[in-house]
Amino acid sequence: MREELIEALIQVEKDARRLEEEGHKEAKKLCKYYRQKMDQEKEKRLLKARQEGKNLVKQAEQEAREYAQQLEKNKAKELKEMEARFNRIKSDVVNKYFKQITGFEGE
């Protein structure tokens, strides 16, 4: 009976070592699996972030082009207004000096 207990104890010890070894192997497998999953997810998120970044750059470029076009329109409009003011003032100044030089009171 004692020998049977010793053999059973030895068997339990062998089983425990085998289970421990299997557990380590399984843990390594799981670590490898999850590391691969994390790497895949990281790559997926990086690709998504790059694409979003490209989209943001495109959008910013488009907004900048539209803003520049609007500035060009405003510039042209302001130049026309300035030219019109200049022509009005020029006409008034020319008439004033013409009258002073000639002494003619025209219209």
Side-chain angles (χ1 to χ4, degrees), residues 60-87:
E61 287 175 348
Q62 180 62 31
E63 289 173 0
R65 279 192 291 276
E66 290 171 0
Y67 182 70
Q69 289 173 348
Q70 189 62 39
L71 287 178
E72 282 293 322
K73 288 178 186 177
N74 289 344
K75 180 182 85 173
K77 181 181 174 185
E78 285 184 35
L79 285 173
K80 285 181 183 179
E81 289 173 359
M82 288 174 69
E83 186 177 352
R85 282 194 307 268
F86 171 76
N87 287 332

Side-chain angles (χ1 to χ4, degrees), residues 93-105:
V93 169
V94 168
N95 284 335
K96 178 181 174 185
Y97 285 110
F98 179 75
K99 289 176 187 176
Q100 285 180 355
I101 293 171
T102 62
F104 181 68
E105 286 294 326

Side-chain angles (χ1 to χ4, degrees), residues 5-19:
L5 286 174
I6 292 174
E7 286 179 18
L9 185 60
I10 291 172
Q11 187 60 41
V12 166
E13 181 65 25
K14 286 180 183 178
D15 289 344
R17 287 184 184 173
R18 181 182 50 78
L19 289 173

Side-chain angles (χ1 to χ4, degrees), residues 4 8 19 30 37 68:
E4 291 174 359
L19 289 173
L30 284 173
K37 285 299 236 183

